């Protein structure tokens, strides 16, 4: 099955980011935590479930297996999917500028109460 696009889960996005450099499981968990500034802490169960699905989708591949650990790398299709997702997220941020502009123009937007 090939990845057909659409919004990625946060776990998929960070795994692809971390795999811009080939990595094995333990390094991936550390890299994901580091690149997300500690916001994302992925456990082994989640990580290996995501890796298995992404491998089936052709977004990543096994680069090396030494018996104890498997090193994964992002594929060309994975890089394209990552770029598409990155552009989708950038568009969402750009659309959200309306919120900040509303705060500046009106001084009335209260994001705290709108998220409660």
């Amino acid at each position: 099955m090939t990845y057909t696009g659409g919004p990625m889960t946060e776990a998929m996005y960070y795994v692809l980011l971390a795999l811009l450099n080939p990595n094995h499981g333990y390094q991936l968990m550390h890299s994901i935590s580091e690149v997300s500034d500690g916001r994302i802490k992925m456990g082994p169960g989640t990580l290996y479930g995501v890796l298995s699905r992404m491998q089936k989708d052709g977004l990543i591949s096994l680069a090396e297996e030494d018996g104890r650990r498997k090193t994964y790398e992002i594929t060309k299709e994975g890089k394209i999917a990552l770029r598409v997702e990155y552009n989708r997220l950038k568009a969402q941020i750009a659309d959200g500028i309306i919120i900040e502009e509303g705060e500046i123009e009106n001084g009335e937007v209260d994001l705290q109460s709108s998220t409660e």
Side-chain angles (χ1 to χ4, degrees):
M1 180 178 189
T2 306
Y3 183 71
T4 56
M8 287 184 186
T9 65
E10 193 169 40
M12 289 173 67
Y13 182 75
Y14 279 99
V15 166
L16 288 180
L17 275 178
L19 286 177
L20 288 174
N21 296 309
N23 254 326
H24 62 78
Y26 180 76
Q27 285 177 327
L28 273 172
M29 288 188 282
H30 180 73
S31 294
I32 290 167
S33 179
E34 189 174 287
V35 79
S36 69
D37 201 22
R39 192 174 58 79
I40 308 290
K41 297 197 184 297
M42 196 174 297
T46 301
L47 176 66
Y48 287 105
V50 169
L51 288 173
S52 176
R53 191 175 68 230
M54 293 176 81
Q55 198 172 3
K56 288 178 187 170
D57 289 345
L59 300 175
I60 64 171
S61 64
L62 195 58
E64 185 179 323
E65 183 174 4
D66 70 1
R68 283 188 31 222
R69 59 171 83 151
K70 296 177 179 178
T71 300
Y72 297 90
E73 64 186 359
I74 190 168
T75 63
K76 182 179 176 185
E77 188 174 325
K79 288 178 182 176
I80 292 169
L82 180 61
R83 176 61 70 179
V84 168
E85 182 66 7
Y86 174 73
N87 288 335
R88 188 186 72 79
L89 293 171
K90 275 183 22 181
Q92 285 187 332
I93 295 296
D95 293 344
I97 296 297
I98 292 169
I99 294 171
E100 290 183 10
E101 289 173 350
E103 286 179 324
I104 293 169
E105 291 176 11
N106 301 328
E108 297 175 3
V109 176
D110 182 2
L111 291 178
Q112 290 291 349
S113 63
S114 65
T115 58
E116 294 176 0

